[in-house]
């Protein structure tokens, strides 16, 4: 039995499914997860010391490549001064100031420890600030695992959804309306019927949790318009896209200004940091200023904040995103060329340091279209790439991530392997 298989068996005895987050268990692709021992730059090494080119990047945070020496040093230096105080620190102010300086939609931010906390609290804040209960989300968008966001679409276009997880009472999602991504007519229809009761729309402004799906022309602008018209708040969940697709997230790319923004992943540089923010007018509703409660023992943790600050400083280097986007596009286009040359129905897309691979003739625009991609072929591709030392996300419905350390040689090595693999699947 391989060392990875031994560890998986052992893990499965003490941890449900052997993992601390479900996608890691390889359920959708089958086989044995790789237990990672260490990571450096674009590479990870598993329990058998096998090296992989990594396109998971800890699901987004590792934008500088793994274990960037300056980020590691910042963590070490912070740790020496104490791991957690439960009292305010100067470094927290610095992180808040950096986020506010970079994203024009932010006047104030509150730091938390995960994306889930950020989105859960942003929803609570939207409800508290508007005095309304209903919220709108889109099918295929993921906003963490808080109760009212674990919802799938109901049977009719405008019926309220059903829980997508056991343990969530239907009443908890009875205020959540789930609509089709990129379908502005459905949004207008929903607001025509329920506009006065809708607190907010929450959206991944570029979706990265149903593979990569970009907003159609006018979609984000339309959401902005509908929210403004009906007095609802627009929440951009930029937990994944923030500082990943460009220096100002999707709000910078699109020019659409949300009322609230949620962040995590890159802003923690691999440590647990999340944030939500918006105008001071809205943020004044958060405790201790206002009646919307939120708290966290480890919020603004000094070691995590140090990693975030170092990361945000390094990604502000001139030309950082041009280079990152160019490398990511080289990978996506190179894969598409090679797959099509092998006669496979395959498409790829990218934005900034994020990419999508689809076993389909065209790039999908909705959850239904992405669901129709050939997952069996993706699974064969995934395992063959993994055997050859390339680590993609173990699911056909996840986006991929490129870091600043994925240089031409790394991308070319990936494409050479892919060319061989495409011929066999
Ligand atoms: C990852 C993610 C979350 C959840 O963040 P966690 O830190 O895993 O809780 C929320 N929203 C989006 C868009 C994400 O990609």
């Amino acid at each position: 039995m391989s060392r990875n298989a031994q560890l998986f068996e052992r893990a499965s005895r003490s941890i449900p499914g052997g993992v601390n987050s479900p996608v890691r268990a390889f359920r959708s692709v089958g086989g044995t997860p790789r237990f990672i021992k260490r990571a450096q730059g674009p590479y990870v090494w598993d329990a058998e010391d096998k090296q992989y080119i990594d396109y998971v990047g800890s699901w987004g945070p590792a934008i500088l490549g793994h274990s960037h020496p300056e980020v590691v040093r910042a963590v070490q230096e912070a740790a020496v001064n104490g791991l957690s105080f439960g009292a305010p620190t100067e470094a927290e102010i610095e992180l808040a100031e950096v986020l506010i300086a970079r994203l024009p939609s932010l006047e104030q931010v509150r730091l938390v420890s995960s994306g889930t906390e950020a989105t859960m609290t942003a929803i609570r804040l939207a409800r508290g600030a508007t005095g309304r209960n209903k919220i709108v989300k889109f099918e295929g968008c993921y906003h963490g695992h808080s109760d009212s966001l674990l919802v799938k679409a109901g049977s009719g276009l405008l019926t309220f959804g059903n829980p997508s997880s056991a343990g969530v009472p239907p009443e908890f999602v009875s205020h959540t309306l789930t609509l089709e991504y990129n379908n502005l007519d459905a949004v207008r229809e929903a607001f025509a019927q329920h506009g006065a009761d809708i607190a907010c729309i929450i959206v991944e402004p570029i979706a990265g949790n149903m593979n990569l799906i970009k907003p159609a022309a006018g979609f984000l602008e339309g959401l902005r318009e509908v929210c403004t018209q009906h007095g609802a708040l627009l929440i951009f969940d930029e937990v994944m896209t923030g500082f990943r697709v460009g220096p100002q997230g999707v709000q910078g790319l699109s020019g659409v200004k949300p009322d609230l923004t949620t962040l995590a992943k890159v802003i923690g540089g691999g440590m647990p940091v999340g944030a939500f923010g918006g105008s001071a007018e809205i943020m004044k509703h958060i405790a201790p200023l206002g009646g919307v409660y939120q708290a966290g023992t480890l919020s603004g943790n000094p070691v995590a904040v140090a990693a975030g600050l170092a990361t945000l400083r390094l990604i502000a280097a001139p030309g950082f995103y041009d280079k990152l986007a160019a490398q990511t596009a080289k990978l996506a286009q190179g894969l598409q060329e090679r797959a099509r040359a092998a006669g496979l129905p395959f498409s790829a897309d990218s934005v900034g340091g994020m990419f999508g691979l689809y076993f389909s003739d065209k790039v999908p625009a909705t959850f239904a279209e992405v669901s129709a991609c050939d997952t069996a072929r993706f699974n064969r591709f995934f395992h063959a790439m993994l055997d050859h030392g390339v680590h993609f996300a173990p699911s056909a419905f996840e986006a991929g991530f490129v870091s600043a350390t994925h240089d031409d040689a790394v991308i070319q090595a990936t494409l050479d392997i892919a060319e061989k693999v495409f011929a066999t699947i």
Side-chain angles (χ1 to χ4, degrees):
M1 198 192 253
S2 75
R3 178 91 180 118
N4 287 304
Q6 281 170 13
L7 289 172
F8 193 38
E9 194 187 87
R10 182 174 146 210
S12 301
R13 274 180 252 134
S14 54
I15 302 172
V19 293
N20 285 311
S21 199
V23 70
R24 299 178 195 171
F26 273 35
R27 287 284 167 113
S28 81
V29 291
T32 306
R34 302 303 190 261
F35 283 70
I36 305 302
K37 251 163 87 172
R38 69 193 170 91
Q40 184 71 59
Y43 304 111
V44 296
W45 286 265
D46 73 6
E48 285 150 41
D49 292 315
K50 177 171 169 159
Q51 175 182 299
Y52 302 84
I53 299 172
D54 182 33
Y55 291 104
V56 179
S58 184
W59 301 97
I63 195 164
L64 293 166
H66 292 286
S67 315
H68 189 288
E70 289 184 46
V71 178
V72 172
R73 192 178 338 116
V75 166
Q76 289 169 331
E77 284 172 7
V80 169
N81 291 323
L83 301 179
S84 174
F85 315 124
T89 64
E90 187 169 350
E92 288 170 298
I93 315 173
E94 276 171 41
L95 183 51
E97 287 172 349
V98 170
L99 296 175
I100 290 164
R102 303 257 179 107
L103 299 185
S105 70
L106 303 182
E107 289 174 3
Q108 292 199 330
V109 288
R110 173 63 58 85
L111 300 182
V112 293
S113 300
S114 67
T116 294
E117 277 180 274
T119 52
M120 176 183 77
T121 315
I123 296 280
R124 186 180 303 144
L125 174 56
R127 285 172 162 156
T130 58
R132 301 171 177 183
N133 288 333
K134 295 194 190 315
I135 65 174
V136 169
K137 82 174 280 289
F138 296 96
E139 194 174 21
C141 286
Y142 176 68
H143 305 292
H145 57 91
S146 66
D147 284 333
S148 69
L149 293 167
L150 287 179
V151 55
K152 54 182 181 241
S155 47
L157 187 60
L158 286 182
T159 48
F160 285 83
N162 302 307
S164 60
S165 164
V168 177
E171 292 80 5
F172 284 33
V173 298
S174 63
H175 291 297
T176 308
L177 198 49
T178 307
L179 304 178
E180 188 181 48
Y181 197 78
N182 276 335
N183 184 344
L184 206 48
D185 287 341
V187 177
R188 294 209 177 96
E189 183 71 32
F191 275 81
Q193 284 195 26
H194 300 287
D197 300 324
I198 297 174
C200 64
I201 295 177
I202 184 165
V203 64
E204 285 185 72
I206 290 175
N209 285 286
M210 48 172 160
N211 208 322
L212 170 67
I213 295 194
K214 290 179 179 169
F219 180 58
L220 299 177
E221 290 80 358
L223 298 183
R224 178 65 276 173
E225 192 182 299
V226 168
C227 282
T228 304
Q229 207 173 20
H230 291 270
L233 302 185
L234 179 60
I235 305 176
F236 273 8
D237 181 357
E238 299 227 45
V239 165
M240 183 183 287
T241 55
F243 303 102
R244 165 57 65 182
V245 300
Q248 299 185 323
V250 186
Q251 45 201 279
L253 296 182
S254 66
V256 175
K257 187 177 171 187
D259 298 298
L260 287 170
T261 300
T262 54
L263 299 163
K265 296 195 169 114
V266 169
I267 68 161
M271 297 288 278
V273 180
F276 63 95
S279 68
E281 186 59 29
I282 295 174
M283 294 301 283
K284 74 172 191 230
H285 292 277
I286 282 284
L289 295 179
V292 178
Y293 192 69
Q294 180 273 333
T297 301
L298 296 178
S299 289
N301 175 270
V303 184
V305 163
L309 276 172
T311 300
L312 288 165
R313 180 168 46 77
L314 290 159
I315 62 178
F320 181 88
Y321 286 98
D322 293 339
K323 173 95 190 304
L324 184 69
Q327 294 306 98
T328 311
K330 260 182 231 168
L331 175 76
Q333 283 164 16
L335 288 172
Q336 179 173 297
E337 276 163 28
R338 282 159 182 77
R340 291 188 176 177
L344 295 171
F346 183 95
S347 306
D349 200 3
S350 69
V351 54
M354 209 173 143
F355 64 87
L357 310 177
Y358 325 89
F359 280 89
S360 157
D361 287 325
K362 70 177 181 72
V363 172
T366 64
F367 184 65
E369 284 178 17
V370 82
S371 301
C373 292
D374 186 345
T375 51
R377 195 170 249 147
F378 170 83
N379 292 353
R380 293 200 291 280
F381 169 75
F382 167 80
H383 275 294
M385 292 301 287
L386 195 66
D387 286 345
H388 287 88
V390 181
H391 186 234
F392 283 115
S395 159
F397 302 107
E398 304 286 353
F401 302 98
V402 167
S403 81
T405 56
H406 288 75
D407 59 14
D408 283 345
V410 170
I411 302 285
Q412 192 57 49
T414 307
L415 296 177
D416 291 345
I417 293 167
E419 188 166 337
K420 278 189 247 156
V421 163
F422 284 136
T424 67
I425 59 162

